[in-house]
Amino acid sequence: MTLKRNFRILLGICLSSMLILAACGANTGKEASSTEGQASEGSSEKKIKIGITQIVEHASLDEARRGFLKALQDNGYEEGNNLEVDFQNAQNDLNNASTIAQKFASSKLDLVLAIATPSAQAAAQNIKDVPILFTAVTDPVGAGLVKSMEAPGSNVTGTTDMHPEAVSTLMEFIQKNVKDVTAVGIMANEGEQNTVANVMEAQKAIEALGLKVVKAPVTNSSEVKQAAESLAGKVQAIYVPQDNTIVSALSTVVGVANEKKIPLFVAEKDSVKNGGVASYGFEYFDIGYTTGKMAVDILKNGKNPAELAVKYPETLDLALNLKSAASQGFEVTDAMKAEVKPENLFE
């Protein structure tokens, strides 16, 4: 009896030990599984991939790109962490812009940013299943990018760099302040859709003021100097619109304006910094930043580009370059200086 009793006790102890070990193993497995799940969850935050296509590098377009990326950063998207950016510069070549768009179409991207009209058109033609945002586009409807400014209607929307009153206000400034002005020269590559819209607006405003328009057409940057020189003796002021071909070679125009003493007026504040006399405009950084906020709405909040209205610049300020004014024979008055914010006065 004693032997049997001892055996039963020993058997019970063994069974209890086995149950305890099994339970510990199960808990350890659960903990391991939970830990692995947490690690997986912590490391599986989706990295956003964005392609940026830019027709050419110049100050205004570069600032728009910088503003876009800053808006993303301010909303938690940082390169090297949870954001991967593929930036491509088309070198002002339409074929390159098309090739870049085709590359992006075959890449696994979450969103595409197209900077300037030619890049935006190429992206819209080639990419149909990924959201496309554009910035620095003058006439989104005329360029065929959206059905209307209020309801874009497809996978494409963004920000325009055409303030409704910018061109007419600048032309009024020219008429009022350029001595003995009778004619204004317009330099433009009208092969760019954005330029066509800007030139039409400028020509309409100039002629409404009773002034003559003299056009100096270009097709590439190598023609810019000759076009600028052709205006000497014919006009008392030169206007450069939002034209990527000419703005990318603006220093050439500035050189001619300085030599011939013809005041140069421009469509962008960045071009005033780089040698133009004056402009009524805004910061391209700001419209880039607005575009970045639209990207956040799409990426984080699931907004549909087709329903996001195209946005306009929110400000319109006078910018003056005192050094350029002196070099180009334009008199800056105290009244003009009083109108200019300190950050828009360049020397």
Side-chain angles (χ1 to χ4, degrees):
M1 288 293 294
T2 301
L3 184 60
K4 288 182 179 179
R5 183 172 176 273
N6 290 340
F7 178 77
R8 284 197 299 270
I9 292 171
L10 182 60
L11 181 61
I13 292 171
C14 290
L15 289 171
S16 298
S17 299
M18 291 173 65
L19 289 171
I20 291 170
L21 288 172
C24 289
N27 288 336
T28 303
K30 288 179 182 178
E31 289 172 5
S33 175
S34 175
T35 302
E36 289 171 7
Q38 289 170 6
S40 174
E41 183 180 348
S43 62
S44 65
E45 181 183 0
K46 182 182 178 183
K47 177 177 283 190
I48 296 299
K49 295 182 179 180
I50 292 177
I52 299 180
T53 172
Q54 183 171 317
I55 189 60
V56 68
E57 288 189 278
H58 63 65
S60 296
L61 302 188
D62 294 345
E63 280 296 291
R65 185 177 78 247
R66 193 170 72 85
F68 176 82
L69 293 173
K70 183 64 168 65
L72 289 178
Q73 183 182 42
D74 288 349
N75 286 274
Y77 294 107
E78 293 190 41
E79 286 189 77
N81 183 16
N82 59 349
L83 174 64
E84 181 180 326
V85 175
D86 183 358
F87 170 64
Q88 299 290 327
N89 172 18
Q91 304 291 344
N92 209 25
D93 186 305
L94 298 182
N95 290 328
N96 288 347
S98 181
T99 299
I100 292 167
Q102 290 166 9
K103 172 182 178 286
F104 283 173
S106 62
S107 303
K108 293 182 179 179
L109 298 174
D110 297 288
L111 185 139
V112 170
L113 171 68
I115 304 177
T117 302
S119 288
Q121 289 176 314
Q125 289 165 5
N126 288 279
I127 303 168
K128 303 298 182 182
D129 56 353
V130 172
I132 299 171
L133 289 175
F134 57 75
T135 191
V137 168
T138 302
D139 183 9
V141 176
L145 297 171
V146 296
K147 291 181 179 178
S148 73
M149 302 292 272
E150 298 77 18
S154 69
N155 63 318
V156 184
T157 187
T159 57
T160 176
D161 59 4
M162 176 62 87
H163 190 290
E165 299 175 3
V167 175
S168 60
T169 303
L170 181 60
M171 297 311 149
E172 290 169 4
F173 179 89
I174 292 172
Q175 184 204 36
K176 180 181 177 181
N177 296 294
V178 174
K179 185 179 179 181
D180 299 326
V181 62
T182 59
V184 178
I186 300 178
M187 297 183 62
N189 175 8
E190 294 194 55
E192 294 185 24
Q193 173 62 39
N194 52 298
T195 299
V196 172
N198 200 278
V199 169
M200 288 177 61
E201 189 76 15
Q203 184 168 349
K204 179 181 175 182
I206 292 167
E207 292 175 345
L209 294 168
L211 304 177
K212 181 182 177 181
V213 174
V214 180
K215 291 186 178 181
V218 302
T219 58
N220 57 66
S221 58
S222 67
E223 299 173 358
V224 169
K225 184 177 182 181
Q226 182 179 353
E229 290 174 337
S230 74
L231 294 172
K234 300 177 184 176
V235 303
Q236 295 75 46
I238 297 174
Y239 173 63
V240 169
Q242 291 147 318
D243 183 298
N244 296 302
T245 301
I246 298 174
V247 173
S248 64
L250 188 68
S251 60
T252 301
V253 187
V254 172
V256 173
N258 290 346
E259 179 187 349
K260 304 296 184 181
K261 303 299 179 186
I262 308 172
L264 172 63
F265 298 90
V266 291
E268 306 151 328
K269 177 179 171 181
D270 291 306
S271 292
V272 177
K273 293 180 189 176
N274 293 325
V277 167
S279 176
Y280 276 90
F282 50 89
E283 295 283 359
Y284 270 72
F285 178 93
D286 292 340
I287 61 169
Y289 195 93
T290 297
T291 315
K293 291 194 293 184
M294 296 174 76
V296 172
D297 255 353
I298 293 169
L299 296 170
K300 274 191 176 179
N301 304 324
K303 292 293 181 68
N304 183 353
E307 299 171 358
L308 284 177
V310 176
K311 297 185 181 297
Y312 292 88
E314 297 178 0
T315 60
L316 186 63
D317 299 318
L318 175 63
L320 280 174
N321 187 318
L322 300 181
K323 181 179 179 181
S324 294
S327 298
Q328 297 165 22
F330 179 79
E331 182 182 355
V332 175
T333 65
D334 290 339
M336 291 179 203
K337 291 180 182 179
E339 184 183 346
V340 180
K341 296 176 181 178
E343 64 269 23
N344 293 335
L345 189 64
F346 308 105
E347 299 186 65

